[in-house]
Amino acid sequence: MQAYNELQEKAKLIRKWSLISTTEAGSGHPSSCLSAADITAVLFDKYFTYDIARPLKINNDRFVLSKGHAAPLLYTLFGMAGAYPLEELKTLRKFGSRFEGHPVPRYVYAEAATGSLGQGLSVGAGLALLAKRENLPFKSYVLLGDGESAEGQVWEAANFASFHKLDNLIAILDANRFAQSGETMFGHQIENYVTRFHAFGFETIAIDGHNLEEIDKAFQQAVNNNNGKPFAIIARTLKGKGVSLMEDKGGWHGKALKKEELKKALEELGTTNDALRFQFKKPASGAEASPKAPLAADTSIDISFDPKKEYATREVFGETLTKLGQHNQEIYALDADVKNSTFTDNFLKAIPERFVECYIAEQNMVSVAAGLSRLGKTPFVATFAAFLTRAADQIRMARVSEANIKFVGSHVGVSIGEDGPSQMGLEDIALFGTLPGTAVLQPSDAVSTAKLVPQMAAWPGMAYMRTLRPKTPVLYDDAQDFFIGGSQVLRQSDDDTLTIAATGITVFEALKAADELEKEGIHVRVVDIYSINPIDKSTLIKCLHETKQPTLITVEDHFYHGGMGDFADEAIEELNLRVHKMAVTGISESGTMEQLLNKAGIDASNIVGKVKQLAGAYAGQPASMHA
Amino acid sequence: MQAYNELQEKAKLIRKWSLISTTEAGSGHPSSCLSAADITAVLFDKYFTYDIARPLKINNDRFVLSKGHAAPLLYTLFGMAGAYPLEELKTLRKFGSRFEGHPVPRYVYAEAATGSLGQGLSVGAGLALLAKRENLPFKSYVLLGDGESAEGQVWEAANFASFHKLDNLIAILDANRFAQSGETMFGHQIENYVTRFHAFGFETIAIDGHNLEEIDKAFQQAVNNNNGKPFAIIARTLKGKGVSLMEDKGGWHGKALKKEELKKALEELGTTNDALRFQFKKPASGAEASPKAPLAADTSIDISFDPKKEYATREVFGETLTKLGQHNQEIYALDADVKNSTFTDNFLKAIPERFVECYIAEQNMVSVAAGLSRLGKTPFVATFAAFLTRAADQIRMARVSEANIKFVGSHVGVSIGEDGPSQMGLEDIALFGTLPGTAVLQPSDAVSTAKLVPQMAAWPGMAYMRTLRPKTPVLYDDAQDFFIGGSQVLRQSDDDTLTIAATGITVFEALKAADELEKEGIHVRVVDIYSINPIDKSTLIKCLHETKQPTLITVEDHFYHGGMGDFADEAIEELNLRVHKMAVTGISESGTMEQLLNKAGIDASNIVGKVKQLAGAYAGQPASMHA
């Protein structure tokens, strides 16, 4: 059709630059760009509403490239929208370039880092949910590959989108038949995608993804859709479309053309009008999001705990988050059907408009939070610590995305008792601790919890808090200060033999051990490591200087490798000393907290034993005799 | 109906013991047991074929309790089948009891540890696939909760089951409307489950889960189904069915009845015939699986590498696994559409009958492997190391299940280059290293890779191998031995100042650094830590004794926290020394391997700098001056 001639020329230009940039890089995924060139040409030319000078304008449409390996397509699209000269694409995949192999945040037009497949629909759903909740006019478009639709997270996102009636979400499935190592599960039987998305509550349409008129009509229908259902365009496409060498052929995933192949391919494409550009419709004027600006630490929250009572830190977390949310409109709370255990149900009651029920689908929950974070929100994601491992890849990618998500994992360690090992969070410090710049906290009592939640909200970037199932005594005065990177010395004398650094439930075991040892005339220093990363290096070093022996014992309800002990060990590097770690070394079981702490070797009696061993204090002999 | 009177009585007995055991324990999930009591009574009474004396008989039917919190139901069912006296259920959730809060392997009738939701259908699919591949007659039954069907893994498993035509798989969805913290996404609108399973390729039937006749007919249809489609029974049930206090009421998830409530509940159930038992049909005679017996280390594999050539360890892994598989019928290979990158495509070509394509769905892949392991297979699960994080929770649960799975993660570290951070495995040592008893290996050349793959297969329990994207030179002679817990000293002299322990790609950087330092008259010892956990403690200690300084530098292409350095640090504890770690501290980017290793601070030049700093060797001054 005549009307689509210019569009066809634009699609040709997209193809040209997807090919040139990857050949220049010597690697990349041109065939995966070519299959979606026609679809995205129509979207960007006729439908996309965006202020190219202000990517974070909250009224802009959003485009999430879930199939992140098609990054050169994304880079070409925004280049053709005038964001930068297309010539800059020749730096693709080169050290220092913003055009990385897969999109990352320094490319400001990417809504999230992608490249681990199957996460984009959740990010797009997070953005669409935000538009619904905050009455923003934008559409959220997500381009998915067919291969990645095998990832369960896609169906978590689909359920989420239809349940939350996100009819401003438009999924486009680029069904080009080939995945990396062969045909996809369904090849070109695209009805398999149609029936699945339909069953999951989407409006669906199947089209030929290279027929510009069909594409155009599909988008028309999609943007006018307002029946409460999200929309899915299932596009039958050809991988490598437009270049006969690779078109609809296996073995072309992730392969750039050689220089001579490129020459032929460009000849085959024919003359291009290199001046063609997209002219985006401008969105209504509106604010710009500031996702990188952390919240101010809110110190105005009233704290008042009865020192004679016991509190579960998970409960105090829920109550504090609710107060914090009432003070600050940017805070959202996300749940995966454990809100009565993490106590975010308080938040739901008080602030339903910023509470997001994600049901039992942790992966989608984390990526939805990444979407909220993109537009300046501070999402708190809370579930059992054990079940945050379900979203380890999404958490990893959220970190690559520089998402400002706060994670809270309850029911940590063997101290949960009777439920047994499947419910015990024993890998969580390792999980969050490996991710650069991620704060890891574990308050042991009500006061420290209430004081640290606002600190966490204010931390620039990702932060994680472990909370406890059982109730614990109040250790601190309401007026006490707590901060990320701090600690509290709970026992100290001029006569301390050595130092015990504990965190969470083991703080109480360490205190009991100190009492026990005191009776035998052995004084120990006890430090509450409520901030695991960063850890309070100066206090630890001070303790080592001030005690009779430069001996530091760490004790924690976490697996041995990757826990707090390793952070403490790092902290004392400059003294050329090392810690003595006590942690969980085997799979636990059902039992009472006391039985399991004892069997894991981290209760008061175990600590007493370790201190005596290290202090050489058996039978009252001085430490030096047994050093 | 008259015919169902006895069945009704048996269901009543199931209810009775689900209630008694949880009240006795003071915690647990009786309401979740009661909703499924009628369904399972019919299944166990009329359909289940099983030799109760031999749970691992390979012809037995399999029952996977995906909703693991209904453990008392499982325990009651096998008790009523004569496995043990029902009275023993009064030890539920008590320390030392095999009846833990959620099923674990010491309860031998559990097919896998469950309790992290949404994993059971994959385990059941793994078992069903095995039956298809090895011509076994059994059916694989999986009882799912409705809440857990929000987990994406359920839909990964559904796709897998229909793609692989597992018509011996029968999923039973217990749609009791309530999840933990409130109603499920769909409540009693069970058509939502029917349409979803149907769209994913299942035969489906919707029934009243408390109508014994309807249940019976559904199972009849299911067991006779042989049209290539897996079967799903969607049962509308009432949570807490049979006890008016909790029946179909919210707020009863995970709550045991109090003693006085139990009394009333039992009165309401009425008289029971406590002698009623299930009489399973015996399966055809056949072998018993030995999942705990590790394979013998196969040393018969021919190894021959050209010392002048370079090889990618990932490629050598794929070739060696294929040879190993040809020698050993128990080995399976599982892929998530990266077989041309991990080189398991060799295995597919040679042994298609034991290759399992899982497409891009890593979670399902791992739990399928857990199913294969249950019946004595040794599954190798290979994908990019970065994407093993996608299945962190399934890996965690596989460890709780004591599954004998071997994991291989390719494309580790920043050394992958241009693809950027989303594809870099930098958390994998932490992920596997935290799990007790899990071997972690990283060979750096062809010979060590080929020698370690059989060792890994023979390791009792889970093992993980990191493999490299780039090709590396051959370091070792074909005759050299390698073993789990070993290392290789690559450079040593009588005049070594200190020791560098490297692993994988950094071995080559350490060797380059040693050459550089040699020119300046500084001799260093270089150790290849090909076994990260367990690590070669005696060699490290020996090095510290033999070098001029007791200084150990570790260098690795992994994030700083939780990597090899921490294992090395642990190893030298008895010397009261500590390592000096070099590892990746920030998010990487696209670039050449050389650029990224340099920027990450782990290339030869960085190592040279670190050695000089620690050796105090600037300007030729002796080390002691700068200690």
Side-chain angles (χ1 to χ4, degrees), chain B residues 142-339:
Chain B
V142 182
L143 182 65
L144 296 101
D146 46 356
E148 68 174 323
S149 77
E151 288 286 10
Q153 187 183 353
V154 172
W155 305 103
E156 294 180 2
N159 264 339
F160 178 89
S162 60
F163 179 81
H164 288 286
K165 305 192 190 308
L166 305 180
D167 56 12
N168 53 348
L169 176 69
I170 298 162
I172 307 138
L173 189 86
D174 174 16
N176 65 21
R177 181 163 90 89
F178 288 110
Q180 176 180 314
S181 72
E183 258 213 348
T184 60
M185 198 177 260
F186 304 126
H188 263 151
Q189 298 171 290
I190 66 166
E191 64 278 12
N192 282 300
Y193 304 111
V194 175
T195 54
R196 279 162 174 75
F197 273 101
H198 185 76
F200 274 69
F202 276 58
E203 281 295 329
T204 55
I205 184 170
I207 61 167
D208 171 356
H210 302 303
N211 181 319
L212 296 170
E213 192 181 353
E214 279 191 39
I215 298 168
D216 192 13
K217 283 188 178 160
F219 276 118
Q220 253 173 53
Q221 202 177 319
V223 296
N224 291 317
N225 172 55
N226 60 1
N227 64 358
K229 290 182 176 187
F231 203 95
I233 299 171
I234 312 298
R236 184 187 188 281
T237 61
L238 301 179
K239 200 157 180 167
K241 168 75 179 178
V243 177
S244 54
L245 183 67
M246 50 164 94
E247 185 176 305
D248 200 30
K249 291 200 176 106
W252 274 99
H253 182 93
K255 277 190 196 161
L257 294 179
K258 294 183 195 118
K259 297 244 157 156
E260 55 276 27
E261 291 168 343
L262 175 66
K263 199 161 161 268
K264 277 189 198 158
L266 293 179
E267 279 167 18
E268 191 179 343
L269 280 184
T271 321
T272 51
N273 178 352
D274 294 337
L276 286 174
R277 290 294 179 271
F278 299 123
Q279 291 295 338
F280 290 157
K281 281 171 287 186
K282 276 241 181 148
S285 62
E288 281 179 72
S290 307
K292 297 281 179 284
L295 299 178
D298 192 333
T299 52
S300 63
I301 289 177
D302 281 339
I303 306 288
S304 177
F305 296 101
D306 181 346
K308 293 190 205 86
K309 279 177 68 179
E310 297 203 332
Y311 301 85
T313 60
R314 59 188 169 117
E315 186 160 5
V316 177
F317 153 70
E319 288 163 1
T320 310
L321 181 66
T322 305
K323 288 179 193 167
L324 200 63
Q326 285 165 328
H327 290 209
N328 196 312
Q329 304 295 317
E330 306 303 310
I331 290 177
Y332 273 69
L334 286 78
D335 173 51
D337 183 39
V338 288
K339 55 187 175 288

Side-chain angles (χ1 to χ4, degrees), chain A residues 93 363 560 569-570 578, chain B residues 363 419 560 569-570 578:
Chain A
R93 292 175 158 249
Q363 301 187 87
Y560 197 85
D569 194 53
E570 198 55 44
R578 50 172 305 123
Chain B
Q363 303 186 90
D419 272 336
Y560 197 84
D569 194 52
E570 199 54 43
R578 50 169 305 120

Side-chain angles (χ1 to χ4, degrees), chain A residues 68 77 91 111 175 300 318 328 444 483 557 604 612:
Chain A
L77 290 168
T91 66
E111 301 297 334
S300 62
N328 195 313
S444 56
F483 56 94
D557 195 359
K612 286 183 176 176

Side-chain angles (χ1 to χ4, degrees), chain B residues 221-471:
Chain B
Q221 202 177 319
V223 296
N224 291 317
N225 172 55
N226 60 1
N227 64 358
K229 290 182 176 187
F231 203 95
I233 299 171
I234 312 298
R236 184 187 188 281
T237 61
L238 301 179
K239 200 157 180 167
K241 168 75 179 178
V243 177
S244 54
L245 183 67
M246 50 164 94
E247 185 176 305
D248 200 30
K249 291 200 176 106
W252 274 99
H253 182 93
K255 277 190 196 161
L257 294 179
K258 294 183 195 118
K259 297 244 157 156
E260 55 276 27
E261 291 168 343
L262 175 66
K263 199 161 161 268
K264 277 189 198 158
L266 293 179
E267 279 167 18
E268 191 179 343
L269 280 184
T271 321
T272 51
N273 178 352
D274 294 337
L276 286 174
R277 290 294 179 271
F278 299 123
Q279 291 295 338
F280 290 157
K281 281 171 287 186
K282 276 241 181 148
S285 62
E288 281 179 72
S290 307
K292 297 281 179 284
L295 299 178
D298 192 333
T299 52
S300 63
I301 289 177
D302 281 339
I303 306 288
S304 177
F305 296 101
D306 181 346
K308 293 190 205 86
K309 279 177 68 179
E310 297 203 332
Y311 301 85
T313 60
R314 59 188 169 117
E315 186 160 5
V316 177
F317 153 70
E319 288 163 1
T320 310
L321 181 66
T322 305
K323 288 179 193 167
L324 200 63
Q326 285 165 328
H327 290 209
N328 196 312
Q329 304 295 317
E330 306 303 310
I331 290 177
Y332 273 69
L334 286 78
D335 173 51
D337 183 39
V338 288
K339 55 187 175 288
N340 57 336
S341 286
T342 60
F343 289 93
T344 54
D345 53 3
N346 286 298
F347 195 104
L348 169 62
K349 275 171 216 139
I351 321 169
E353 67 277 16
R354 282 185 275 122
F355 180 89
V356 186
E357 183 53 73
C358 301
Y359 296 94
I360 310 175
E362 296 79 6
Q363 303 186 90
N364 176 66
M365 173 168 62
V366 171
S367 302
V368 163
L372 297 175
S373 163
R374 166 69 174 166
L375 288 185
K377 303 299 156 187
T378 301
F380 275 74
V381 164
T383 182
F384 282 31
F387 305 141
L388 283 170
T389 64
R390 191 64 158 251
D393 190 28
Q394 289 75 16
I395 293 168
R396 178 180 80 87
M397 289 302 294
R399 177 61 191 83
V400 177
S401 292
E402 298 172 9
N404 182 29
I405 307 175
K406 315 303 172 182
F407 297 91
V408 178
S410 69
H411 294 69
V412 297
V414 306
S415 75
I416 68 161
E418 288 77 5
D419 272 336
S422 65
Q423 317 294 302
M424 293 171 178
L426 286 162
E427 304 88 350
D428 52 326
I429 299 176
L431 170 62
F432 289 98
T434 54
L435 299 174
T438 304
V440 179
L441 309 172
Q442 181 172 217
S444 57
D445 86 331
V447 176
S448 51
T449 305
K451 292 295 180 85
L452 286 167
V453 173
Q455 299 284 339
M456 200 181 168
W459 179 256
M462 290 193 352
Y464 171 59
M465 179 182 278
R466 306 184 99 196
T467 63
L468 303 168
R469 187 196 65 79
K471 291 186 178 186

